[in-house]
């Protein structure tokens, strides 16, 4: 299995615009999944906001972003970045999770999600927030 680490930016309703801007700067492909696409709508007003978005270029540029839902605290500049670790081997990701979880605060337990066979979020003992998931191709 190979893994990648990607800067994951957090916005409140501006993720689509930000990703489009980064694509205009760095080129590449833009992929987005809305809360509606993932069948994860809690607030209907946020259904078309970005639950997962990514720009990738052939030159190696890669950035992810999402719109923090209104039910979740969001203070721009306070928690603007996640480190995203994506891979194809669930067992290997579980191993990384188990080691990162030592002394960490689990935000979302590692488990199946509507959009991934395995997803979890934790803040490690150093205050860094990590998102680990099994990568799934989206045709959205």
């Amino acid at each position: 299995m190979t893994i990648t680490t990607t800067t994951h930016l957090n916005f409140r309703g501006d993720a689509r615009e930000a990703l489009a801007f980064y694509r205009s700067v760095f080129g590449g492909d833009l992929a987005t999944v809305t809360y509606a696409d993932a069948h994860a709508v809690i607030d209907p007003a946020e259904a078309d906001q970005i639950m997962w978005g990514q720009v990738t270029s052939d030159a190696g540029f890669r950035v992810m972003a999402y719109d923090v839902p209104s039910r979740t605290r969001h203070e721009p500049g306070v928690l603007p970045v996640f480190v995203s670790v994506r891979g194809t081997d669930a067992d290997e990701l579980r191993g990384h999770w188990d080691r990162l979880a030592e002394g960490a605060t689990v935000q979302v337990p590692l488990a199946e999600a509507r959009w991934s066979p395995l997803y979890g979020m934790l803040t490690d003992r150093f205050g860094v927030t990590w998102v680990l998931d099994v990568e799934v191709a989206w045709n959205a």
Side-chain angles (χ1 to χ4, degrees), residues 37-58:
D37 293 335
H39 306 286
V41 175
I42 294 184
D43 180 347
E46 297 171 344
D48 291 328
Q49 289 187 357
I50 303 302
M51 189 186 90
W52 174 85
Q54 177 175 271
V55 174
T56 55
S57 78
D58 291 339

Side-chain angles (χ1 to χ4, degrees), residues 43-121:
D43 180 347
E46 297 171 344
D48 291 328
Q49 289 187 357
I50 303 302
M51 189 186 90
W52 174 85
Q54 177 175 271
V55 174
T56 55
S57 78
D58 291 339
F61 176 80
R62 186 174 187 145
V63 68
M64 295 171 64
Y66 95 120
D67 287 310
V68 178
S70 60
R71 69 184 180 283
T72 303
R73 192 178 113 234
H74 176 63
E75 298 174 46
V78 174
L79 187 59
V81 175
F82 295 156
V83 177
S84 174
V85 177
R86 311 194 89 203
T88 56
D89 185 308
D91 291 332
E92 189 169 345
L93 280 174
R94 277 189 194 92
H96 296 314
W97 174 271
D98 291 344
R99 290 184 293 278
L100 277 171
E102 292 176 18
T105 301
V106 174
Q107 308 296 332
V108 178
L110 188 66
E112 184 175 345
R114 290 183 182 148
W115 59 90
S116 176
L118 197 62
Y119 170 87
M121 178 190 296

Side-chain angles (χ1 to χ4, degrees), residues 3-6 83-87 93 96 130-134:
I3 61 171
T4 58
T5 56
T6 303
V83 177
S84 174
V85 177
R86 311 194 89 203
L93 280 174
H96 296 314
W130 295 82
V131 177
L132 281 74
D133 69 333
V134 172

